[in-house]
Amino acid sequence: MKITVVGASGLIGTRLSEKLRRSGHDVAAASLSLGVDTVTGKGLDVAMVGTEVVVDVTNAASFGDSSAFDFFKASTKNLLAAAAEARVRHYLVESDYFRAKMVQENLIRASGRPYTILRSTQFYEFINGLIDIGADGNVFRLPSAFMRPVAAGDVAAFLAELAAGAPSGDVVEIGGPEQFGIDEIARIYLAANEDERQVITDRSTSYFGVELTDDALIPGAGARVARQTLPDWLYQSMGE
């Protein structure tokens, strides 16, 4: 079938497109760098021609401010309109736990399009950026809220599986196989990179502008459990 991957040049999009092509699907890659602008709608009509499934893995340039809300609102409205025009049978989106993404999810639910929303936990690949939220001179002040980080490759594989199936009309979740406090995972990551800076546990540190409860970033009991562990990912990433 023809599957259009929107955000195809990103961390998940590149992996997903490769997996779908290896499975024999006709993949149309759409991203800003390829001439498709979801915010203005430029190039969407061409990208959607003949599309049966749309997988939206777009992301905003920043989180925690109004620009993220504006991005997801404009982008999702344009994508849904283009999907309706092309009579797309399955709208699949990869989401997460940021408030701005709720705008995206609510628009999809209200659209009347057959959909599946995949919520993923934080990616191993973004641990460095996660740690930076608590940078304070030569130390990191980070909360102890729990998280179950996941490899981008495992998320892409699950998306490929969902894209080949029927729309669920619901939210499904995926998380990593291990649970850590944010402060704990920072210590592990820094030690693996021979970085001697200290991590101080500070519950008052916000997470991209959000004050976290202990379980705010943890998926539900029915979530898909990904396979790659943090030690395995660290070993693999440092060998690249």
Side-chain angles (χ1 to χ4, degrees), residues 100-117:
K101 281 283 195 173
M102 293 305 296
V103 174
Q104 181 185 39
E105 291 187 10
N106 290 337
L107 286 169
I108 292 167
R109 288 190 183 97
S111 70
R113 305 304 309 164
Y115 72 89
T116 302
I117 296 170

Side-chain angles (χ1 to χ4, degrees), residues 24-39:
H25 297 293
D26 176 14
V27 177
S31 67
L32 188 58
S33 63
L34 297 172
V36 178
D37 188 338
T38 59
V39 174

Side-chain angles (χ1 to χ4, degrees), residues 1-6 48 51-56 79-80 83-84 86-93 108 111-118 158-170 172:
M1 72 181 86
K2 180 179 178 181
I3 301 175
T4 297
V5 177
V6 188
M48 292 289 186
T51 295
E52 297 174 69
V53 178
V54 170
V55 187
D56 178 5
L79 282 168
L80 288 169
R87 297 184 179 180
V88 167
R89 68 170 182 82
H90 188 180
Y91 192 104
L92 172 60
V93 62
I108 292 167
S111 70
R113 305 304 309 164
Y115 72 89
T116 302
I117 296 170
L118 172 62
F158 193 25
L159 276 168
E161 179 184 326
L162 293 170
S168 70
D170 204 352
V172 294

Side-chain angles (χ1 to χ4, degrees), residues 10 12 17-18 30-31 44 72 90 100 103 201-202 207 220 240:
I12 295 296
S17 297
E18 181 182 350
S31 67
L44 275 178
F72 287 117
H90 188 180
V103 174
T201 302
D202 185 348
Y207 181 77
E240 293 176 351

Side-chain angles (χ1 to χ4, degrees), residues 3 5 14 36 60 72 184 188 211 217 223 226:
I3 301 175
V5 177
T14 52
V36 178
F72 287 117
E184 179 187 6
I188 294 169
E211 187 173 339
L217 300 177

Side-chain angles (χ1 to χ4, degrees), residues 16-240:
L16 173 60
S17 297
E18 181 182 350
K19 290 179 184 296
L20 289 171
R21 289 192 180 102
R22 285 206 305 262
S23 296
H25 297 293
D26 176 14
V27 177
S31 67
L32 188 58
S33 63
L34 297 172
V36 178
D37 188 338
T38 59
V39 174
T40 65
K42 178 185 175 183
L44 275 178
D45 54 345
V46 175
M48 292 289 186
V49 172
T51 295
E52 297 174 69
V53 178
V54 170
V55 187
D56 178 5
V57 288
T58 56
N59 227 329
S62 63
F63 289 101
D65 57 27
S66 61
S67 64
F69 287 88
D70 293 342
F71 171 84
F72 287 117
K73 184 176 181 180
S75 177
T76 305
K77 281 185 174 181
N78 286 331
L79 282 168
L80 288 169
E85 182 68 24
R87 297 184 179 180
V88 167
R89 68 170 182 82
H90 188 180
Y91 192 104
L92 172 60
V93 62
E94 187 274 322
S95 186
D96 54 31
Y97 295 87
F98 287 104
R99 290 176 297 175
K101 281 283 195 173
M102 293 305 296
V103 174
Q104 181 185 39
E105 291 187 10
N106 290 337
L107 286 169
I108 292 167
R109 288 190 183 97
S111 70
R113 305 304 309 164
Y115 72 89
T116 302
I117 296 170
L118 172 62
R119 285 186 188 157
S120 63
T121 55
Q122 295 67 36
F123 301 144
Y124 294 140
E125 288 81 358
F126 292 158
I127 290 175
N128 190 45
L130 168 64
I131 292 172
D132 282 344
I133 67 171
D136 183 11
N138 289 324
V139 301
F140 295 92
R141 297 184 179 276
L142 293 165
S144 56
F146 296 119
M147 61 189 303
R148 279 176 46 195
V150 64
D154 283 339
V155 176
F158 193 25
L159 276 168
E161 179 184 326
L162 293 170
S168 70
D170 204 352
V171 173
V172 294
E173 296 181 306
I174 184 172
E178 302 162 301
Q179 183 167 298
F180 307 91
I182 294 176
D183 54 348
E184 179 187 6
I185 200 169
R187 293 185 183 101
I188 294 169
Y189 182 83
L190 292 171
N193 284 277
E194 299 182 349
D195 189 326
E196 297 182 354
R197 285 177 291 178
Q198 184 182 4
V199 176
I200 298 172
T201 302
D202 185 348
R203 294 179 65 89
S204 68
T205 302
S206 67
Y207 181 77
F208 297 98
V210 179
E211 187 173 339
L212 295 176
T213 59
D214 282 346
D215 60 355
L217 300 177
I218 300 299
R224 169 74 67 96
V225 179
R227 291 185 296 177
Q228 190 168 33
T229 65
L230 177 60
D232 285 347
W233 178 83
L234 285 168
Y235 179 80
Q236 176 184 311
S237 64
M238 289 175 182
E240 293 176 351

